Amino acid sequence: MENAQSDFIFDSDDLIMFTSALEKIPTTEHTDSSLDVVLQDLSERWVNVQKSYMKIFTYAKEIDEQFKESAQEKYSACTKAFHFSKAKLLDLQKTLVLPPENISMKNTPDYDNNYASIKLPPCDTEIFQNGYEEWPSFRDMFTAVYINHAQLTSVQKLYYLSLKVKGQAAGIVHKYKLCGDNFPLAWEALKSRYENKRILVDNQLRILFNLKVINSESSESLQRIQTTINDCLAALQAQSISTKDWDPILVYLCSTKLPHETLSLWEQSLKSHRKLPK
């Protein structure tokens, strides 16, 4: 029984530490072969966790309920860590090798025999799903990394675009077959769907006008409200909304969310109570 408990603790901790270490390895240090080795290692550690977890229930009657509850929580954490790490490694591997067999780029007119040797910048875009707020950042990064890449053909850009979208955005892109003529069509379809200035502005205003009241004197809370306001202003300015004359609005919004002592100290810091503060 004690061996079963100690084995599970060791195997689960081992998997968690292994997946945590993977997060610290720069993606540029991976190759297709190294990813195969890492995936094999990850799978073996996951099998060990499963086996030792099953042993816990072999001795279920002899193990106290508190340990079993702890083991269930730890097993759930291991499951999430394994799934997340494996999915991330598989996605990374897709960017290092030629497209899968069911996507035959060799039959397309824009296929480039030097495809596999093309080196992309170490920075990359996040996976885009459906968030209107996320679109400007994704659009700019994808443009910088892929669209403006001198060696990528249109069909290769469409292939990478298909890897970088999920959800409804993926549904839009996947309507277009993999050929060079379809990349500008797929890209414009995404822009038409997500470059909605009204929604982007409304979302930022909603965040700004629904700031939560700070109930305790906390530097962390003050920094959070400052960051939120600055982020909203930056997003609005990115949409060409001028906020240079918004000082009275912002001062009012912010001051109504401050805790009593902080608000009192701020009032005392003002040189004049007749002039509008900046």
Side-chain angles (χ1 to χ4, degrees), residues 160-195:
Y160 281 116
L161 181 61
S162 70
L163 294 179
K164 292 297 180 180
V165 290
K166 287 186 177 179
Q168 294 179 2
I172 294 173
V173 173
H174 293 162
K175 289 179 181 178
Y176 297 89
K177 293 183 179 180
L178 199 61
C179 68
D181 291 340
N182 280 343
F183 171 71
L185 299 177
W187 185 243
E188 285 302 319
L190 278 180
K191 290 173 65 177
S192 177
R193 176 65 176 273
Y194 293 104
E195 288 195 7

Side-chain angles (χ1 to χ4, degrees), residues 4 6 35 39 46 55 73 75-76 116 143 145 158 203 219 235-236 242 244 247 249 260 278:
S6 60
L35 287 175
L39 283 166
W46 171 238
K55 288 181 182 179
E73 293 177 359
Y75 183 77
S76 177
T143 299
V145 176
L158 181 55
N203 285 342
S219 61
L236 289 170
S242 175
K244 65 178 183 179
D247 283 17
I249 299 173
H260 177 73
K278 297 291 184 180

Side-chain angles (χ1 to χ4, degrees), residues 55-263:
K55 288 181 182 179
I56 298 294
F57 290 91
T58 303
Y59 299 97
K61 294 182 180 179
E62 303 173 43
I63 297 176
D64 63 85
E65 292 298 320
Q66 185 175 359
F67 182 85
K68 284 192 288 187
E69 291 178 3
S70 175
Q72 289 175 343
E73 293 177 359
K74 207 161 190 178
Y75 183 77
S76 177
C78 286
T79 303
K80 292 179 181 178
F82 169 72
H83 288 165
F84 177 82
S85 295
K86 185 173 182 179
K88 189 171 183 179
L89 291 170
L90 289 173
D91 285 342
L92 178 59
Q93 196 170 43
K94 289 179 182 178
T95 68
L96 298 177
V97 298
L98 288 171
E101 293 179 1
N102 62 331
I103 305 180
S104 180
M105 293 184 66
K106 291 184 178 181
N107 296 326
T108 61
D110 293 328
Y111 180 73
D112 185 347
N113 291 326
N114 294 322
Y115 176 82
S117 65
I118 293 175
K119 293 184 178 180
L120 295 169
C123 60
D124 202 356
T125 64
E126 297 292 335
I127 299 296
F128 177 72
Q129 298 193 56
N130 306 311
Y132 285 90
E133 301 91 344
E134 301 163 8
W135 168 252
S137 176
F138 173 79
R139 176 200 62 204
D140 294 345
M141 280 299 295
F142 191 87
T143 299
V145 176
Y146 296 99
I147 295 180
N148 292 341
H149 197 292
Q151 290 180 274
L152 290 179
T153 65
S154 292
V155 69
Q156 292 163 356
K157 293 172 185 177
L158 181 55
Y159 169 69
Y160 281 116
L161 181 61
S162 70
L163 294 179
K164 292 297 180 180
V165 290
K166 287 186 177 179
Q168 294 179 2
I172 294 173
V173 173
H174 293 162
K175 289 179 181 178
Y176 297 89
K177 293 183 179 180
L178 199 61
C179 68
D181 291 340
N182 280 343
F183 171 71
L185 299 177
W187 185 243
E188 285 302 319
L190 278 180
K191 290 173 65 177
S192 177
R193 176 65 176 273
Y194 293 104
E195 288 195 7
N196 189 318
K197 186 173 182 177
R198 179 181 175 184
I199 291 178
L200 291 170
V201 171
D202 284 354
N203 285 342
Q204 295 305 318
L205 292 177
R206 187 179 300 109
I207 295 172
L208 197 58
F209 285 92
N210 287 280
L211 293 170
K212 293 183 179 180
V213 175
I214 301 176
N215 295 316
S216 60
E217 308 291 339
S218 164
S219 61
E220 182 180 350
S221 298
L222 292 173
Q223 289 173 351
R224 184 162 53 247
I225 198 171
Q226 180 188 32
T227 300
T228 301
I229 292 175
N230 286 338
D231 288 348
C232 287
L233 294 179
L236 289 170
Q237 289 170 2
Q239 295 301 318
S240 301
I241 303 297
S242 175
T243 59
K244 65 178 183 179
D245 296 323
W246 282 28
D247 283 17
I249 299 173
L250 297 174
V251 168
Y252 175 77
L253 282 175
C254 188
S255 63
T256 57
K257 311 303 177 184
L258 297 178
H260 177 73
E261 184 176 346
T262 301
L263 179 61

